[in-house]
Amino acid sequence: MELATALKAARQQANLSQQAVADELHISRQSISKWETGKTLPDIENLIRLSTLFDLSLDDLIKGDTTMMTKISHDSKVFTILKIVLATLVLTIVFALTIAFTLVQLVPGTVHPILVYVPILFSLIVPVGALLYMLINIRKQPSRGMKIALVLALAGVLCVFTLRILATFFQLPYLTDVI
């Protein structure tokens, strides 16, 4: 049974109007109407609340509806991608600012020139190590470790570009020479 049909049948069996269900879920009556006609699909939070309200299992509500199962799978993938992008951006900024701050603290002539390249090498070693880890542990379904390795690899690579932008924009000593 499709989700739209199951929702309408459950609501009618509970002798509730669309407005009563909407009030219970704190949403508009039009949302309930769209769900029952199949024009839109409820999000997972509302599905859980509907299953509680109608005393139905989530299996009863969504297993028969391939569209809903596809939506849940798609939403999960999108959320995972957003988490990876956000974590990558945060790590990139942290890496770049840490390296830039370290290099700015160096006083010309007091540090061996090779030491100036250590932060840059570090920002390249982290992504290479992460990519090697990903290649060694490649699977069909990515694990948490693979996602962390992907974030580190992307952050390390983006760090070099961020450092270049910082060096150009702020005219940082050593940074412009190194990068």
Side-chain angles (χ1 to χ4, degrees), residues 80-81 83-85 87-88 91-92 126-127 129-131 133-134 142-158:
T80 300
I81 290 170
K83 286 193 309 188
I84 288 173
V85 168
T88 300
L91 276 176
T92 299
V126 168
L131 289 172
Y133 173 82
M134 288 171 47
S143 66
R144 177 173 282 191
M146 292 284 283
K147 292 173 188 170
I148 291 170
L150 175 63
V151 167
L152 287 173
L154 291 172
V157 170
L158 289 174

Side-chain angles (χ1 to χ4, degrees), residues 8-152:
K8 187 172 185 176
R11 179 183 58 78
Q12 289 172 341
Q13 186 176 1
N15 291 323
L16 295 172
S17 66
Q18 288 182 345
Q19 186 62 52
V21 174
D23 291 343
E24 184 70 28
L25 299 179
H26 306 291
I27 59 174
S28 70
R29 186 207 52 80
Q30 289 81 3
S31 294
I32 303 297
S33 176
K34 288 178 183 177
W35 295 345
E36 289 184 359
T37 58
K39 291 181 181 174
T40 62
L41 296 169
D43 61 13
I44 192 69
E45 180 182 335
N46 282 320
L47 269 176
I48 293 169
R49 293 164 68 196
L50 286 166
S51 76
T52 303
L53 178 65
F54 297 137
D55 197 27
L56 294 171
S57 72
L58 286 173
D59 284 350
D60 292 339
L61 283 176
I62 61 174
K63 271 204 173 171
D65 192 341
T66 55
T67 306
M68 186 64 194
M69 291 177 66
T70 303
K71 179 186 184 299
I72 290 171
S73 175
H74 177 266
D75 289 352
S76 174
K77 289 176 184 171
V78 167
F79 185 67
T80 300
I81 290 170
L82 287 175
K83 286 193 309 188
I84 288 173
V85 168
L86 182 62
T88 300
L89 290 175
V90 168
L91 276 176
T92 299
I93 291 168
V94 169
F95 282 173
L97 290 176
T98 303
I99 292 169
F101 181 75
T102 303
L103 290 176
V104 167
Q105 300 305 313
L106 297 177
V107 177
T110 62
V111 179
H112 194 280
I114 296 291
L115 292 179
V116 174
Y117 293 96
V118 170
I120 301 302
L121 290 174
F122 176 74
S123 69
L124 294 174
I125 291 170
V126 168
V128 168
L131 289 172
L132 285 174
Y133 173 82
M134 288 171 47
L135 287 173
I136 292 169
N137 296 303
I138 197 156
R139 295 183 202 142
K140 209 171 196 177
Q141 185 69 18
S143 66
R144 177 173 282 191
M146 292 284 283
K147 292 173 188 170
I148 291 170
L150 175 63
V151 167
L152 287 173

